[in-house]
Amino acid sequence: MIRTIRSSLFYIGFTIWTLVWAIFSLAVALLPLSARVWASRLWARTGIGWLHWSCGLRYRVSGLANIPATPCVIVANHQSALETLLLWCIFPRLSYVLKKELFRIPVIGWGLRLSWPIGIDRDAGKQALVQVIEEGKIRLAAGFHVVIFPEGTRHPCGEVGPFSSTAAGLAIRAQVPLLPIAVNSGCFWPRADWRKWPGVVEVHIGPALAPAGKAAALNQQAQDWITTAVAEMGTGPAAKVL
């Protein structure tokens, strides 16, 4: 019952905040890119703070020393919506690769455009890959880290799905490091349950991988590291009977 109440409190507060922020973003959209990025980080960091206060859910980051001094391609496993907020708390300038359909969400979709994301049609096949590489190189040259969730969809706590090699391909074409990140957010923000568990989400940043060789081989290195890291994190509270 307490978890239900606290989770409800989170969603009510976060929805109100998101709507207020999205309306505010209409004015921010006319400002320079640096201001728009600041607004995106404000939304995410406030959301994480509210999550901590309402649900008792915090996060812990390890491997900060592995972050390259220059822009890189970030490849992370995907378990919940939480990691899209968390990464904004770690990196100052991000460009997410996401479904372009999200831009069509009234008000909120407008706000998503602020941080210069790459909106793709996932049914476009090779054309989507070309778009990510072309637009990704532009973002990287402008000082943005490009974030790609290679599984394409969320997976339950403790599981890692097959990786597409898009992130590795971009890293090689742009000649920037590929940075693997593992999270266990799904253990606290379950895919099949709207309620949140209190605790500490682990965010492990792995060693940056040099953009050399074939994309498939580089992609496999990242997937192997993330899979191992996720297994070491365990299942946490998601293993309980909900």
Side-chain angles (χ1 to χ4, degrees):
M1 176 62 72
I2 293 178
R3 189 160 66 97
T4 299
I5 293 173
R6 297 184 76 175
S7 297
S8 298
L9 183 61
F10 165 74
Y11 277 114
I12 292 171
F14 187 63
T15 298
I16 293 173
W17 161 238
T18 298
L19 290 174
V20 170
W21 172 82
I23 295 172
F24 165 72
S25 72
L26 295 179
V28 176
L30 302 175
L31 298 178
L33 182 58
S34 58
R36 304 201 302 267
V37 170
W38 174 85
S40 296
R41 293 196 78 200
L42 175 65
W43 169 72
R45 292 166 73 91
T46 301
I48 290 295
W50 179 247
L51 181 65
H52 179 194
W53 187 89
S54 60
C55 296
L57 184 53
R58 299 176 291 113
Y59 70 95
R60 178 169 51 224
V61 183
S62 63
L64 286 172
N66 291 327
I67 299 176
T70 55
C72 63
V73 177
I74 296 170
V75 59
N77 65 305
H78 194 21
Q79 293 188 355
S80 74
L82 181 56
E83 46 266 27
T84 60
L85 301 177
L86 284 178
L87 293 181
W88 271 120
C89 297
I90 302 171
F91 299 90
R93 307 185 84 186
L94 294 175
S95 178
Y96 282 94
V97 175
L98 45 76
K99 297 182 297 183
K100 67 178 184 179
E101 289 84 358
L102 295 176
F103 295 149
R104 300 171 187 161
I105 301 175
V107 184
I108 296 175
W110 308 333
L112 286 175
R113 293 179 180 272
L114 288 185
S115 59
W116 207 20
I118 301 172
I120 63 169
D121 179 357
R122 292 201 298 189
D123 295 326
K126 279 190 175 182
Q127 185 56 42
L129 174 60
V130 171
Q131 178 188 354
V132 171
I133 291 176
E134 291 181 349
E135 295 190 25
K137 290 170 70 174
I138 294 173
R139 300 322 191 261
L140 291 163
F144 282 70
H145 299 291
V146 175
V147 182
I148 297 178
F149 297 112
E151 295 162 293
T153 187
R154 293 171 298 161
H155 283 74
C157 170
E159 295 184 16
V160 177
F163 277 28
S164 75
S165 59
T166 303
L170 172 58
I172 290 174
R173 292 289 295 274
Q175 280 299 287
V176 299
L178 182 66
L179 187 68
I181 295 181
V183 300
N184 68 342
S185 57
C187 301
F188 303 88
W189 186 311
R191 180 181 181 183
D193 186 355
W194 63 273
R195 296 169 298 171
K196 315 292 181 261
W197 290 100
V200 181
V201 172
E202 297 289 346
V203 182
H204 293 184
I205 303 174
L209 304 174
K214 300 283 188 179
L218 183 60
N219 180 62
Q220 191 63 53
Q221 289 184 58
Q223 181 172 356
D224 289 346
W225 187 90
I226 290 174
T227 300
T228 299
V230 169
E232 291 174 349
M233 291 176 186
T235 54
K240 299 178 182 178
V241 177
L242 303 180

